[in-house]
């Protein structure tokens, strides 16, 4: 046993030193991705804290605040129109208990006059524009505005139509595939492999596992974006579980696992842009940029723009 340890311990020590060395200097092993755009200020649901979510009015407002990209979710109507909508069912947004897929585009109801801001409970957004919009109209109105398009379900027709619209408007480099599910991402990448894409939940867990095993410096990373919740918002503005105790536990564990400057620095050095969501308070902006994140998604682009302007673009996003 002592003989085995005499070999194993130096080997483990050498491995640990090598792993740390390349964790800090990943460009010695990997050519970093060239950034397609700098995502310092992302408007979540097009800036849903200031105006009604995903409306043209909200998008125009976010553009006026010099947002770097819009975060959108898409659904498919019965007549095959890709519509910008976070929810599959229209109850929360419009008070109509119908799925988007059960209606033609022209039948879609107006948004309610006010909508609660999901990541700022108790606060409401209003706006004069209450119309749902098609992704095609959004691309036509904002042809060079970068966007993240999230797909919630494994809907091949929806995925293929989005891929086709991105190609038609020559937006391959500035439109990002986003989804929580690896099975959905596989279909997204097959539909348009030229679009950059983000980590899924499964891939994010794999990333953390590699990091803590010391293997991350030696692994390839095809993703170009890491969209991640900021653990410190759990149990304050983000409640993933109905049980308060579970939320507290999730906050502690995720904070320990994710909020690692060395991990974020490594990803940034490899050209993977780290964006924390969905942050609506200045204290949270401070934490995110302090960790070295590329950017932040917020429901309040005016507040984040003010913060960035007052802090030198958060040191040009670290």
């Amino acid at each position: 046993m002592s003989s085995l340890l005499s070999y194993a311990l130096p080997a483990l020590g050498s491995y640990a030193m090598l792993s740390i060395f390349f964790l800090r200097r990943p460009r010695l092993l990997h050519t970093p991705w060239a950034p397609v755009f700098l995502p310092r200020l992302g408007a979540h649901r097009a800036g849903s804290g200031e105006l009604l979510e995903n409306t043209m009015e909200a998008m125009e407002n976010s553009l006026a605040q010099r947002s770097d990209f819009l975060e959108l979710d898409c659904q498919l109507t019965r007549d095959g129109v890709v519509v910008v909508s976070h929810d599959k069912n229209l109850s929360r947004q419009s008070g109509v208990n119908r799925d988007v897929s059960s209606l033609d585009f022209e039948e879609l109801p107006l948004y309610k006059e006010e909508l609660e801001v999901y990541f700022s409970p108790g606060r409401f957004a209003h706006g004069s524009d209450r119309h749902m919009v098609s992704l095609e109209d959004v691309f036509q109105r904002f042809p060079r505005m970068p966007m993240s398009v999230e797909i919630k379900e494994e809907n091949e027709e929806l995925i293929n139509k989005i891929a086709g619209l991105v190609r038609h408007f020559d937006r391959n480099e500035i439109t990002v595939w986003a989804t929580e599910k690896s099975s959905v991402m596989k279909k997204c990448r097959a539909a348009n492999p030229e679009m950059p894409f983000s980590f899924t939940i499964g891939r994010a867990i794999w990333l953390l596992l590699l990091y803590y095993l010391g293997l991350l410096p030696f692994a390839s990373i095809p993703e170009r974006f890491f969209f991640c919740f900021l653990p410190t918002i759990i149990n304050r503005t983000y409640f993933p579980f109905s049980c308060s105790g579970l939320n507290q536990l999730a906050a502690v564990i995720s904070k320990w696992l994710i909020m690692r400057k060395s991990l974020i620095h490594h990803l940034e050095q490899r050209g993977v842009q780290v964006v924390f969501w969905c942050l609506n308070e200045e204290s949270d902006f401070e934490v995110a940029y302090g960790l070295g994140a590329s950017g932040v998604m917020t429901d309040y682009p005016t507040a984040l723009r003010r913060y960035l302007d007052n802090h030198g673009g958060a040191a040009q996003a670290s």
Side-chain angles (χ1 to χ4, degrees), residues 77-245:
T77 63
R78 182 172 58 194
D79 55 343
V81 177
V82 179
V83 65
V84 180
S85 172
H86 179 273
D87 296 358
K88 175 182 177 180
N89 184 276
L90 295 165
S91 295
R92 178 190 65 86
Q93 299 171 174
S94 302
V96 177
N97 187 21
R98 295 284 298 272
D99 287 352
V100 173
S101 60
S102 71
L103 297 170
D104 289 346
F105 179 72
E106 296 298 329
E107 298 174 326
L108 292 173
L110 297 175
Y111 282 114
K112 294 177 182 177
E113 292 184 358
E114 66 173 19
L115 290 174
E116 186 171 19
V117 184
Y118 184 82
F119 287 98
S120 291
R123 297 167 70 177
F124 292 83
H126 307 79
S128 58
D129 180 6
R130 296 169 56 197
H131 293 88
M132 298 181 71
V133 296
S134 71
L135 187 63
E136 181 174 5
D137 287 344
V138 172
F139 284 173
Q140 286 178 334
R141 180 78 69 90
F142 310 104
R144 302 317 302 161
M145 182 67 172
M147 299 179 196
S148 164
V149 178
E150 182 170 355
I151 313 299
K152 303 288 189 186
E153 296 182 341
E154 204 165 321
N155 185 328
E156 289 196 47
E157 184 183 1
L158 171 64
I159 292 168
N160 288 328
K161 289 204 169 188
I162 292 172
L165 285 169
V166 169
R167 287 195 184 94
H168 178 75
F169 287 96
D170 192 24
R171 296 181 49 89
N172 286 329
E173 292 190 348
I174 59 171
T175 310
V176 182
W177 285 124
T179 181
E180 293 182 348
K181 302 175 182 178
S182 295
S183 59
V184 175
M185 184 60 78
K186 184 177 179 180
K187 293 183 183 299
C188 290
R189 293 181 64 188
N192 190 332
E194 297 178 53
M195 291 169 56
F197 59 99
S198 63
F199 278 86
T200 61
I201 290 178
R203 283 284 298 166
I205 292 171
W206 182 242
L207 172 79
L208 292 173
L209 182 62
L210 291 176
Y211 171 73
Y212 284 103
L213 290 175
L215 294 170
L216 185 57
F218 313 109
S220 63
I221 302 178
E223 293 88 353
R224 299 176 74 168
F225 291 88
F226 184 38
F227 298 140
C228 182
F229 68 91
L230 187 70
T232 53
I233 70 171
I234 295 180
N235 228 29
R236 289 196 300 113
T237 62
Y238 178 42
F239 304 90
F241 303 105
S242 57
C243 173
S244 176

Side-chain angles (χ1 to χ4, degrees), residues 300-312:
Y300 296 91
T302 302
L304 182 51
R305 171 48 58 199
R306 186 185 310 117
Y307 173 85
L308 290 171
D309 288 347
N310 291 338
H311 293 79

